Amino acid sequence: MIKYFPAPDIDQKARGIAEAAKIRRDFSRIHFVRSSGSSSRRTLARCHTIPRVIQSALSIKAHYVIEVISEHFDKLDGGEQAKTIIHELLHIPKGMRGGFRHHDYVCRKN
């Protein structure tokens, strides 16, 4: 069973990385969690959002959750963790309206 925990350390890292890399996002609407118990073999982190229909029904703006999978992410050195955080932040479009950037945009080039 997967368990989720707040990850303020990842939040701080992400804010610092985003500032240094000039990735502009509204961090008041990005939340960070660390999970444990995932059966995923190769996934380091995931980005989630609230579906647009739920946003509309609740009259709220989009919020995003970046989940780091502790079994894999925590073993990485600082540089690889930073790359992973950048990768997940790039999935969040600048407009932050609930959609995602796909891997054709979220790649080494960008």
mmCIF file of all heavy atoms in Angstrom, residues 55-86:
data_model
loop_
_atom_site.group_PDB
_atom_site.id
_atom_site.type_symbol
_atom_site.label_atom_id
_atom_site.label_comp_id
_atom_site.label_asym_id
_atom_site.label_seq_id
_atom_site.Cartn_x
_atom_site.Cartn_y
_atom_site.Cartn_z
ATOM 1 N N GLN A 55 -12.038 21.010 -10.918
ATOM 2 C CA GLN A 55 -11.686 22.416 -10.695
ATOM 3 C C GLN A 55 -12.890 23.316 -10.954
ATOM 4 O O GLN A 55 -13.191 24.229 -10.181
ATOM 5 C CB GLN A 55 -10.555 22.842 -11.621
ATOM 6 C CG GLN A 55 -9.232 22.170 -11.363
ATOM 7 C CD GLN A 55 -8.265 22.483 -12.486
ATOM 8 O OE1 GLN A 55 -8.194 23.613 -12.945
ATOM 9 N NE2 GLN A 55 -7.523 21.489 -12.931
ATOM 10 N N SER A 56 -13.563 23.051 -12.059
ATOM 11 C CA SER A 56 -14.713 23.859 -12.441
ATOM 12 C C SER A 56 -15.843 23.717 -11.426
ATOM 13 O O SER A 56 -16.433 24.710 -10.998
ATOM 14 C CB SER A 56 -15.188 23.441 -13.833
ATOM 15 O OG SER A 56 -16.325 24.175 -14.198
ATOM 16 N N ALA A 57 -16.133 22.485 -11.043
ATOM 17 C CA ALA A 57 -17.229 22.250 -10.105
ATOM 18 C C ALA A 57 -16.957 22.884 -8.747
ATOM 19 O O ALA A 57 -17.877 23.377 -8.094
ATOM 20 C CB ALA A 57 -17.454 20.750 -9.946
ATOM 21 N N LEU A 58 -15.700 22.908 -8.325
ATOM 22 C CA LEU A 58 -15.342 23.464 -7.024
ATOM 23 C C LEU A 58 -14.939 24.940 -7.096
ATOM 24 O O LEU A 58 -14.636 25.547 -6.073
ATOM 25 C CB LEU A 58 -14.197 22.658 -6.395
ATOM 26 C CG LEU A 58 -14.499 21.193 -6.093
ATOM 27 C CD1 LEU A 58 -13.247 20.498 -5.570
ATOM 28 C CD2 LEU A 58 -15.646 21.067 -5.106
ATOM 29 N N SER A 59 -14.926 25.484 -8.318
ATOM 30 C CA SER A 59 -14.513 26.879 -8.548
ATOM 31 C C SER A 59 -13.138 27.180 -7.944
ATOM 32 O O SER A 59 -12.953 28.148 -7.212
ATOM 33 C CB SER A 59 -15.552 27.856 -7.982
ATOM 34 O OG SER A 59 -16.792 27.662 -8.608
ATOM 35 N N ILE A 60 -12.193 26.293 -8.251
ATOM 36 C CA ILE A 60 -10.821 26.489 -7.776
ATOM 37 C C ILE A 60 -9.862 26.475 -8.960
ATOM 38 O O ILE A 60 -10.175 25.935 -10.019
ATOM 39 C CB ILE A 60 -10.390 25.412 -6.757
ATOM 40 C CG1 ILE A 60 -10.440 24.009 -7.380
ATOM 41 C CG2 ILE A 60 -11.233 25.480 -5.495
ATOM 42 C CD1 ILE A 60 -9.864 22.915 -6.520
ATOM 43 N N LYS A 61 -8.707 27.085 -8.762
ATOM 44 C CA LYS A 61 -7.663 27.040 -9.772
ATOM 45 C C LYS A 61 -6.961 25.693 -9.694
ATOM 46 O O LYS A 61 -7.061 24.987 -8.689
ATOM 47 C CB LYS A 61 -6.640 28.152 -9.524
ATOM 48 C CG LYS A 61 -7.181 29.533 -9.786
ATOM 49 C CD LYS A 61 -6.086 30.552 -9.604
ATOM 50 C CE LYS A 61 -6.599 31.932 -9.987
ATOM 51 N NZ LYS A 61 -5.536 32.938 -9.907
ATOM 52 N N ALA A 62 -6.240 25.380 -10.749
ATOM 53 C CA ALA A 62 -5.507 24.117 -10.792
ATOM 54 C C ALA A 62 -4.429 24.078 -9.719
ATOM 55 O O ALA A 62 -3.784 25.080 -9.430
ATOM 56 C CB ALA A 62 -4.866 23.935 -12.162
ATOM 57 N N HIS A 63 -4.256 22.927 -9.149
ATOM 58 C CA HIS A 63 -3.163 22.644 -8.222
ATOM 59 C C HIS A 63 -2.448 21.409 -8.749
ATOM 60 O O HIS A 63 -3.063 20.540 -9.365
ATOM 61 C CB HIS A 63 -3.679 22.380 -6.807
ATOM 62 C CG HIS A 63 -4.093 23.622 -6.097
ATOM 63 N ND1 HIS A 63 -3.333 24.197 -5.114
ATOM 64 C CD2 HIS A 63 -5.173 24.419 -6.254
ATOM 65 C CE1 HIS A 63 -3.932 25.293 -4.686
ATOM 66 N NE2 HIS A 63 -5.066 25.446 -5.364
ATOM 67 N N TYR A 64 -1.155 21.365 -8.511
ATOM 68 C CA TYR A 64 -0.339 20.245 -8.953
ATOM 69 C C TYR A 64 0.340 19.618 -7.755
ATOM 70 O O TYR A 64 0.658 20.297 -6.782
ATOM 71 C CB TYR A 64 0.725 20.716 -9.944
ATOM 72 C CG TYR A 64 0.146 21.174 -11.265
ATOM 73 C CD1 TYR A 64 -0.338 22.461 -11.422
ATOM 74 C CD2 TYR A 64 0.064 20.303 -12.336
ATOM 75 C CE1 TYR A 64 -0.878 22.878 -12.621
ATOM 76 C CE2 TYR A 64 -0.479 20.706 -13.546
ATOM 77 C CZ TYR A 64 -0.945 21.993 -13.683
ATOM 78 O OH TYR A 64 -1.487 22.393 -14.865
ATOM 79 N N VAL A 65 0.562 18.317 -7.827
ATOM 80 C CA VAL A 65 1.301 17.593 -6.797
ATOM 81 C C VAL A 65 2.457 16.885 -7.483
ATOM 82 O O VAL A 65 2.253 16.156 -8.464
ATOM 83 C CB VAL A 65 0.407 16.554 -6.079
ATOM 84 C CG1 VAL A 65 1.235 15.738 -5.088
ATOM 85 C CG2 VAL A 65 -0.756 17.234 -5.383
ATOM 86 N N ILE A 66 3.658 17.147 -6.981
ATOM 87 C CA ILE A 66 4.821 16.399 -7.446
ATOM 88 C C ILE A 66 5.138 15.383 -6.359
ATOM 89 O O ILE A 66 5.381 15.743 -5.204
ATOM 90 C CB ILE A 66 6.011 17.318 -7.750
ATOM 91 C CG1 ILE A 66 5.658 18.199 -8.952
ATOM 92 C CG2 ILE A 66 7.270 16.486 -8.011
ATOM 93 C CD1 ILE A 66 6.733 19.171 -9.370
ATOM 94 N N GLU A 67 5.075 14.125 -6.744
ATOM 95 C CA GLU A 67 5.317 13.009 -5.840
ATOM 96 C C GLU A 67 6.697 12.441 -6.139
ATOM 97 O O GLU A 67 6.990 12.107 -7.283
ATOM 98 C CB GLU A 67 4.251 11.931 -6.080
ATOM 99 C CG GLU A 67 4.531 10.610 -5.427
ATOM 100 C CD GLU A 67 3.670 9.477 -5.984
ATOM 101 O OE1 GLU A 67 2.861 9.719 -6.910
ATOM 102 O OE2 GLU A 67 3.832 8.347 -5.499
ATOM 103 N N VAL A 68 7.551 12.364 -5.132
ATOM 104 C CA VAL A 68 8.821 11.666 -5.297
ATOM 105 C C VAL A 68 8.686 10.308 -4.629
ATOM 106 O O VAL A 68 8.136 10.193 -3.534
ATOM 107 C CB VAL A 68 10.032 12.461 -4.747
ATOM 108 C CG1 VAL A 68 10.206 13.765 -5.510
ATOM 109 C CG2 VAL A 68 9.934 12.714 -3.274
ATOM 110 N N ILE A 69 9.127 9.284 -5.314
ATOM 111 C CA ILE A 69 9.003 7.914 -4.808
ATOM 112 C C ILE A 69 10.272 7.595 -4.019
ATOM 113 O O ILE A 69 11.346 7.441 -4.599
ATOM 114 C CB ILE A 69 8.758 6.934 -5.968
ATOM 115 C CG1 ILE A 69 7.457 7.336 -6.664
ATOM 116 C CG2 ILE A 69 8.715 5.500 -5.469
ATOM 117 C CD1 ILE A 69 7.186 6.630 -7.958
ATOM 118 N N SER A 70 10.133 7.550 -2.714
ATOM 119 C CA SER A 70 11.296 7.519 -1.830
ATOM 120 C C SER A 70 12.232 6.347 -2.106
ATOM 121 O O SER A 70 13.449 6.511 -2.027
ATOM 122 C CB SER A 70 10.860 7.522 -0.364
ATOM 123 O OG SER A 70 10.121 6.373 -0.054
ATOM 124 N N GLU A 71 11.696 5.184 -2.452
ATOM 125 C CA GLU A 71 12.548 4.014 -2.680
ATOM 126 C C GLU A 71 13.563 4.249 -3.796
ATOM 127 O O GLU A 71 14.641 3.651 -3.797
ATOM 128 C CB GLU A 71 11.699 2.775 -3.032
ATOM 129 C CG GLU A 71 10.890 2.223 -1.887
ATOM 130 C CD GLU A 71 9.513 2.869 -1.739
ATOM 131 O OE1 GLU A 71 9.234 3.904 -2.382
ATOM 132 O OE2 GLU A 71 8.716 2.332 -0.963
ATOM 133 N N HIS A 72 13.233 5.115 -4.748
ATOM 134 C CA HIS A 72 14.119 5.365 -5.891
ATOM 135 C C HIS A 72 14.754 6.753 -5.820
ATOM 136 O O HIS A 72 15.963 6.900 -6.000
ATOM 137 C CB HIS A 72 13.348 5.210 -7.202
ATOM 138 C CG HIS A 72 12.653 3.900 -7.316
ATOM 139 N ND1 HIS A 72 13.321 2.704 -7.350
ATOM 140 C CD2 HIS A 72 11.330 3.588 -7.371
ATOM 141 C CE1 HIS A 72 12.449 1.713 -7.431
ATOM 142 N NE2 HIS A 72 11.231 2.229 -7.443
ATOM 143 N N PHE A 73 13.954 7.766 -5.555
ATOM 144 C CA PHE A 73 14.425 9.149 -5.572
ATOM 145 C C PHE A 73 15.473 9.415 -4.492
ATOM 146 O O PHE A 73 16.487 10.069 -4.742
ATOM 147 C CB PHE A 73 13.235 10.109 -5.400
ATOM 148 C CG PHE A 73 13.598 11.556 -5.451
ATOM 149 C CD1 PHE A 73 13.705 12.221 -6.670
ATOM 150 C CD2 PHE A 73 13.830 12.271 -4.286
ATOM 151 C CE1 PHE A 73 14.039 13.570 -6.724
ATOM 152 C CE2 PHE A 73 14.161 13.615 -4.331
ATOM 153 C CZ PHE A 73 14.271 14.261 -5.548
ATOM 154 N N ASP A 74 15.235 8.928 -3.293
ATOM 155 C CA ASP A 74 16.123 9.234 -2.175
ATOM 156 C C ASP A 74 17.520 8.623 -2.341
ATOM 157 O O ASP A 74 18.464 9.082 -1.708
ATOM 158 C CB ASP A 74 15.508 8.784 -0.849
ATOM 159 C CG ASP A 74 14.288 9.613 -0.461
ATOM 160 O OD1 ASP A 74 14.107 10.713 -1.028
ATOM 161 O OD2 ASP A 74 13.508 9.160 0.388
ATOM 162 N N LYS A 75 17.663 7.625 -3.193
ATOM 163 C CA LYS A 75 18.967 7.006 -3.440
ATOM 164 C C LYS A 75 19.824 7.814 -4.414
ATOM 165 O O LYS A 75 21.021 7.585 -4.527
ATOM 166 C CB LYS A 75 18.788 5.592 -4.016
ATOM 167 C CG LYS A 75 18.178 4.605 -3.046
ATOM 168 C CD LYS A 75 17.985 3.263 -3.723
ATOM 169 C CE LYS A 75 17.249 2.284 -2.818
ATOM 170 N NZ LYS A 75 16.996 1.009 -3.503
ATOM 171 N N LEU A 76 19.204 8.744 -5.136
ATOM 172 C CA LEU A 76 19.927 9.522 -6.140
ATOM 173 C C LEU A 76 20.841 10.549 -5.481
ATOM 174 O O LEU A 76 20.537 11.051 -4.396
ATOM 175 C CB LEU A 76 18.938 10.262 -7.048
ATOM 176 C CG LEU A 76 17.963 9.421 -7.857
ATOM 177 C CD1 LEU A 76 16.982 10.334 -8.582
ATOM 178 C CD2 LEU A 76 18.696 8.528 -8.841
ATOM 179 N N ASP A 77 21.933 10.899 -6.180
ATOM 180 C CA ASP A 77 22.761 11.999 -5.682
ATOM 181 C C ASP A 77 22.042 13.317 -5.964
ATOM 182 O O ASP A 77 21.038 13.363 -6.660
ATOM 183 C CB ASP A 77 24.164 11.964 -6.291
ATOM 184 C CG ASP A 77 24.194 12.202 -7.801
ATOM 185 O OD1 ASP A 77 23.420 13.054 -8.297
ATOM 186 O OD2 ASP A 77 25.008 11.569 -8.495
ATOM 187 N N GLY A 78 22.576 14.396 -5.413
ATOM 188 C CA GLY A 78 21.924 15.702 -5.514
ATOM 189 C C GLY A 78 21.683 16.157 -6.937
ATOM 190 O O GLY A 78 20.638 16.734 -7.246
ATOM 191 N N GLY A 79 22.630 15.908 -7.832
ATOM 192 C CA GLY A 79 22.482 16.327 -9.227
ATOM 193 C C GLY A 79 21.358 15.594 -9.935
ATOM 194 O O GLY A 79 20.584 16.206 -10.689
ATOM 195 N N GLU A 80 21.249 14.308 -9.697
ATOM 196 C CA GLU A 80 20.176 13.527 -10.326
ATOM 197 C C GLU A 80 18.820 13.892 -9.725
ATOM 198 O O GLU A 80 17.813 13.910 -10.440
ATOM 199 C CB GLU A 80 20.445 12.024 -10.192
ATOM 200 C CG GLU A 80 21.602 11.540 -11.045
ATOM 201 C CD GLU A 80 21.411 11.800 -12.534
ATOM 202 O OE1 GLU A 80 20.324 11.484 -13.064
ATOM 203 O OE2 GLU A 80 22.341 12.323 -13.162
ATOM 204 N N GLN A 81 18.796 14.190 -8.437
ATOM 205 C CA GLN A 81 17.542 14.654 -7.836
ATOM 206 C C GLN A 81 17.119 15.973 -8.466
ATOM 207 O O GLN A 81 15.937 16.165 -8.772
ATOM 208 C CB GLN A 81 17.699 14.817 -6.320
ATOM 209 C CG GLN A 81 17.729 13.517 -5.572
ATOM 210 C CD GLN A 81 17.766 13.712 -4.064
ATOM 211 O OE1 GLN A 81 17.879 14.831 -3.558
ATOM 212 N NE2 GLN A 81 17.667 12.609 -3.340
ATOM 213 N N ALA A 82 18.078 16.867 -8.678
ATOM 214 C CA ALA A 82 17.764 18.164 -9.298
ATOM 215 C C ALA A 82 17.213 17.969 -10.706
ATOM 216 O O ALA A 82 16.224 18.607 -11.085
ATOM 217 C CB ALA A 82 18.998 19.060 -9.328
ATOM 218 N N LYS A 83 17.824 17.084 -11.492
ATOM 219 C CA LYS A 83 17.328 16.807 -12.850
ATOM 220 C C LYS A 83 15.899 16.281 -12.803
ATOM 221 O O LYS A 83 15.063 16.659 -13.627
ATOM 222 C CB LYS A 83 18.215 15.779 -13.549
ATOM 223 C CG LYS A 83 19.540 16.296 -14.024
ATOM 224 C CD LYS A 83 20.280 15.172 -14.736
ATOM 225 C CE LYS A 83 21.713 15.510 -15.005
ATOM 226 N NZ LYS A 83 22.436 14.375 -15.617
ATOM 227 N N THR A 84 15.627 15.414 -11.852
ATOM 228 C CA THR A 84 14.284 14.842 -11.719
ATOM 229 C C THR A 84 13.271 15.924 -11.354
ATOM 230 O O THR A 84 12.173 15.979 -11.917
ATOM 231 C CB THR A 84 14.281 13.715 -10.667
ATOM 232 O OG1 THR A 84 15.225 12.711 -11.066
ATOM 233 C CG2 THR A 84 12.908 13.092 -10.518
ATOM 234 N N ILE A 85 13.640 16.809 -10.441
ATOM 235 C CA ILE A 85 12.742 17.895 -10.044
ATOM 236 C C ILE A 85 12.485 18.824 -11.228
ATOM 237 O O ILE A 85 11.339 19.209 -11.490
ATOM 238 C CB ILE A 85 13.317 18.663 -8.831
ATOM 239 C CG1 ILE A 85 13.262 17.764 -7.588
ATOM 240 C CG2 ILE A 85 12.564 19.962 -8.598
ATOM 241 C CD1 ILE A 85 14.042 18.285 -6.394
ATOM 242 N N ILE A 86 13.531 19.167 -11.979
ATOM 243 C CA ILE A 86 13.349 20.005 -13.175
ATOM 244 C C ILE A 86 12.408 19.322 -14.152
ATOM 245 O O ILE A 86 11.491 19.946 -14.693
ATOM 246 C CB ILE A 86 14.706 20.308 -13.848
ATOM 247 C CG1 ILE A 86 15.523 21.268 -12.985
ATOM 248 C CG2 ILE A 86 14.503 20.879 -15.247
ATOM 249 C CD1 ILE A 86 16.975 21.408 -13.414
#
